Amino acid sequence: AEQVLRSVADVATAGTEAIRAEALWELGHLYYRTGRYAEALARLNALEESGGPMEVGPVAFLKADCLRKEAVALLREATRPPDPLRPQEPDAQLASAGALDGPEATQIRQGLERAAGFFEAAIEAYGDAPPRTPLDQTYERLAWFYRADCLFDLGQYEQAIASYTATAQRYKDDPSALAAYIQIASACTALGRHAEARAATDRARWLLKRLPPEALSDGRLPLSPDYWGQWLLQEREARPATD
């Protein structure tokens, strides 16, 4: 499939702009799905520069998520404990790029900042042209969550809280809103606002209890409801009762 698409995408002739644009899109999507993010970005950029027809929302989302995935991979590697046998800190998986220094940190921050901008562009594009397919609906929903994730990983906790709050309100009946409230709690904790963190954790517990059984088994809620219930209980008990 890659060879056929490249044979079309790499040839620009008059009258074939629409066909070439479609090939560039499919090739970018193929690279994205197979984890070749730099190549996906190159093809999606070429699509934008080609002047051929394209849908702004999906292109902006894929460009954003390529940048996010690359930055998150670098962030995880940079915050990995030097001793693999040493227990990780409770929030090690939520380590912030804002706590890093050096050229690698600059690369991570720039990637996350660019990703947040493209997620914002995807959200605006879907606002102007509502998604028509289930895949587009998924891209729009993920754009809201991932924009907030980028702000969190940048250490911009105030902006992250605002973005997660808007996302949780927009998708209040979606199981993935649970993750937004948990991230709000983590961001509030990072700011020393423990009462707000406890309130967000309580909100997540309330959401978990009211979700219908079918919503808990469609793949949008990572791990099992029992796991989340136990985690939320431990998380609330671990936080100070007051600021």
Side-chain angles (χ1 to χ4, degrees):
E2 177 186 359
Q3 291 176 355
V4 172
L5 289 169
R6 287 184 61 178
S7 68
V8 177
D10 293 341
V11 177
T13 58
T16 63
E17 291 83 359
I19 296 175
R20 180 170 180 263
E22 182 66 19
L24 285 168
W25 162 251
E26 293 294 344
L27 197 53
H29 208 202
L30 183 152
Y31 288 144
Y32 169 79
R33 294 199 308 269
T34 53
R36 297 160 65 178
Y37 302 120
E39 293 172 274
L41 276 170
R43 295 300 179 171
L44 294 170
N45 286 333
L47 170 59
E48 290 183 318
E49 295 166 1
S50 71
M54 70 173 199
E55 296 186 41
V56 176
V59 172
F61 174 82
L62 289 192
K63 289 181 65 173
D65 208 31
C66 286
L67 290 164
R68 181 189 71 89
K69 288 179 183 295
E70 288 188 325
V72 167
L74 287 172
L75 180 57
R76 287 174 177 167
E77 185 62 30
T79 55
R80 188 188 305 276
D83 181 357
L85 299 180
R86 189 187 73 187
Q88 297 219 8
E89 297 298 323
D91 286 335
Q93 74 277 17
L94 302 177
S96 168
L100 301 178
D101 295 314
E104 188 176 54
T106 299
Q107 181 182 356
I108 293 170
R109 282 193 289 269
Q110 289 176 344
L112 290 171
E113 287 168 355
R114 291 182 64 201
F118 282 121
F119 283 130
E120 181 69 30
I123 291 169
E124 292 178 358
Y126 281 123
D128 295 335
R132 295 178 290 108
T133 67
L135 181 60
D136 278 330
Q137 292 171 359
T138 298
Y139 284 168
E140 182 186 31
R141 177 174 58 85
L142 291 178
W144 281 81
F145 283 96
Y146 289 165
R147 177 186 61 177
D149 287 343
C150 289
L151 295 172
F152 184 97
D153 285 333
L154 283 164
Q156 299 176 12
Y157 297 121
E158 291 285 3
Q159 297 94 318
I161 290 170
S163 187
Y164 280 125
T165 300
T167 301
Q169 290 174 347
R170 179 180 178 86
Y171 295 98
K172 60 184 179 181
D173 296 323
D174 192 291
S176 52
L178 177 64
Y181 287 116
I182 289 173
Q183 291 291 72
I184 290 171
S186 296
C188 288
T189 298
L191 294 171
R193 289 155 38 180
H194 300 295
E196 293 179 50
R198 289 171 65 85
T201 303
D202 287 342
R203 180 73 177 178
R205 183 185 295 104
W206 176 84
L207 175 61
L208 184 64
K209 289 181 178 179
R210 71 183 290 268
L211 287 173
E214 60 272 16
L216 303 176
S217 59
D218 62 4
R220 286 177 292 172
L221 182 64
L223 303 179
S224 68
D226 290 341
Y227 170 89
W228 282 113
Q230 184 65 26
W231 189 91
L232 288 167
L233 178 62
Q234 295 173 350
E235 188 72 4
R236 189 180 193 281
E237 290 175 347
R239 300 186 190 279
T242 65
D243 290 325

